[in-house]
Amino acid sequence: MTKTTATLSSYEPGSSLSPGRLRLALFALALGGFGIGTTEFVTMGLLPQIANGVRISIPTAGHVVSAYALGVVVGAPLVATVAAKLPRKAVLIALMVAFAVGNLASALSPNYPVLLIARFVSGLPHGAFFGLGSVVAASLVPRDRRTAAVAMMLAGLTVANVLGVPVATLLGQHAGWEWPYVFVSLVAVVTVVAVLAWVPAGAGETGSSARAELSALRRPQVWLTLGIGTVGFGGMFATFSYITPTMTHLAGFPDGIVPLILAVYGVGMTIGTMLSGRVAAYGMLRAMVATLVSIAVLLAVFGELAQLRVTAVIGVFLLGMLPSVLVPLLQTRLMDVAHEGQSLAAALNHSTLNIANALGAWLGGVVLAHGLGYQWPSRVGALLAVAGICVAGVSVLVAHRETGPVAASPGRSGAAGMGDWTQ
């Protein structure tokens, strides 16, 4: 990327940023992802403390997690559509302000109903920030580097699982369950300053409208890609939702080692996200199918890997890495096939992943409730990954029917054509 003397305020979509300014812009977006990832997962580790704090049972405290997920599902398409005509940078800043307010309200909640509402509000900016952030990140680089830029933006989410969640969990255990939310609010405030200073004005602007964004919902390839994420990624959640008892019952790890195992999972997520850009170079659909096949194979044997401690750790690392390769691919693919509705489609990806979370966890719980062992949630997950492969196959056939078997030019992933399969 060539250097430019243009200031950030005079940035126009399609122009180049210097490598240093590009890194700072992507870091600002990733910082927001770090805060979002931390608040999303830290609640799961602090349910006993939250239950004691607002005087409810632990199962009831689990509804706090569901309230956040519901906020993600509702907020992603709503914000992306309503804010379609607004400047992307201004919307990103507003989302982080709302995120800070929601988390601060969570920390100050005097009782369970108020906490439930605060967590719902905290979830509203989640999907929209990642969706709009992905569009902005992709606009800062040449077309053939879009997936890598999106992966850099999403890296904040994966780093949160390595650093943010463990640190925030320790903070909550020793200082009180409210303080992790205060910490996340501070991260959000810093993100606002970073986005204001480093993200170029005008980045990601497409002159879209609510009607243009909603037009994405008329495109079969959008729904097919969302379907790949729902069932294909659901397999990971069917396994990860029960990772702690799987590691303690099958691998025989003591409870005190589980946080380290989860850190291994976070490292795998980070590496997988960073590898996604390289994998995309082999063709978007081809990369997605190959990744889904790898996930299906891993989940099919995960129950056996978990029988031994060494292979269990390797399995957890791969469980973090392989699905994390898929997420930026899905995000970029959605922006390709949505045409004028890029922001909505990219935001819907995160609604989809939260639906996948619920689907996978529910199916894993069903097999456990029927008396099957902890080897079985991952086997159900393997079937979901296979279903994702089937949906991807339909996407290939639809693309072939729409455009014919004409390869795109080298280095370009076609919007819906076979070029993103063959290149």
Side-chain angles (χ1 to χ4, degrees):
M1 214 174 277
T2 59
K3 290 189 176 183
T4 178
T5 58
T7 63
L8 293 182
S9 60
S10 63
Y11 176 84
E12 295 182 0
S15 65
S16 296
L17 294 178
S18 69
R21 288 185 173 180
L22 174 62
R23 284 192 292 268
L24 288 173
L26 294 177
F27 173 78
L29 298 172
L31 187 60
F34 175 82
I36 290 173
T38 300
T39 200
E40 180 179 19
F41 290 103
V42 74
T43 303
M44 302 173 189
L46 293 175
L47 286 184
Q49 289 82 3
I50 293 173
N52 289 333
V54 294
R55 297 174 296 280
I56 56 176
S57 67
I58 291 178
T60 302
H63 297 161
V64 174
V65 178
S66 300
Y68 183 90
L70 181 60
V72 178
V73 173
V74 172
L78 180 64
V79 174
T81 303
V82 172
K85 287 188 175 182
L86 299 177
R88 298 288 191 253
K89 181 175 178 177
V91 175
L92 289 172
I93 291 172
L95 289 170
M96 271 295 108
V97 170
F99 182 69
V101 170
N103 279 278
L104 187 58
S106 300
L108 298 176
S109 297
N111 53 50
Y112 171 65
V114 174
L115 178 60
L116 209 61
I117 295 171
R119 294 316 294 156
F120 175 80
V121 172
S122 300
L124 289 174
H126 178 131
F129 183 86
F130 280 121
L132 291 174
S134 296
V135 173
V136 170
S139 74
L140 300 177
V141 297
R143 184 179 178 86
D144 61 343
R145 295 185 59 192
R146 292 174 308 140
T147 303
V150 172
M152 286 292 293
M153 186 263 177
L154 294 174
L157 180 63
T158 63
V159 173
N161 282 274
V162 181
L163 297 176
V165 174
V167 170
T169 301
L170 288 173
L171 178 63
Q173 290 173 342
H174 291 87
W177 65 269
E178 305 93 339
W179 286 100
Y181 298 129
V182 175
F183 168 72
V184 169
S185 295
L186 293 175
V187 172
V189 171
V190 174
T191 301
V192 168
V193 175
V195 170
L196 191 62
W198 295 329
V199 173
E205 300 296 339
T206 59
S208 187
S209 65
R211 177 175 294 183
E213 292 290 348
L214 289 171
S215 70
L217 301 181
R218 298 197 301 266
R219 301 185 182 279
Q221 287 287 6
V222 169
W223 289 106
L224 287 169
T225 306
L226 292 173
I228 294 170
T230 301
V231 292
F233 213 80
M236 187 280 289
F237 284 115
T239 305
F240 184 69
S241 298
Y242 305 97
I243 195 66
T244 296
T246 299
M247 292 295 102
T248 55
H249 285 72
L250 293 185
F253 284 108
D255 291 339
I257 300 298
V258 171
L260 295 177
I261 295 173
L262 296 180
V264 170
Y265 173 84
V267 172
M269 285 184 68
T270 303
I271 293 175
T273 302
M274 303 311 296
L275 286 175
S276 188
R278 294 181 180 272
V279 174
Y282 295 97
M284 198 63 66
L285 277 173
R286 175 183 288 172
M288 290 167 61
V289 171
T291 303
L292 284 166
V293 170
S294 301
I295 293 171
V297 172
L298 170 66
L299 295 178
V301 302
F302 189 85
E304 282 65 42
L305 294 176
Q307 304 286 338
L308 298 173
R309 292 187 176 186
V310 173
T311 53
V313 172
I314 295 173
V316 168
F317 173 80
L318 293 175
L319 183 67
M321 185 184 77
L322 294 177
S324 296
V325 173
L326 184 61
V327 176
L329 297 175
L330 290 170
Q331 195 87 334
T332 309
R333 173 71 176 170
L334 280 168
M335 290 189 292
D336 278 344
V337 299
H339 299 283
E340 303 88 13
Q342 288 189 11
S343 298
L344 175 60
L348 283 173
N349 190 35
H350 294 275
S351 293
T352 296
L353 296 180
N354 275 267
I355 295 172
N357 188 345
L359 175 66
W362 174 71
L363 289 176
V366 167
V367 297
L368 292 174
H370 282 76
L372 298 175
Y374 284 103
Q375 303 94 327
W376 281 92
S378 59
R379 293 170 183 170
V380 172
L383 295 178
L384 288 174
V386 170
I389 295 170
C390 294
V391 177
V394 173
S395 182
V396 172
L397 293 176
V398 171
H400 181 81
R401 186 183 65 187
E402 290 177 347
T403 64
V406 180
S409 59
R412 181 184 186 275
S413 57
M418 293 300 289
D420 52 0
W421 173 263
T422 58
Q423 290 300 320

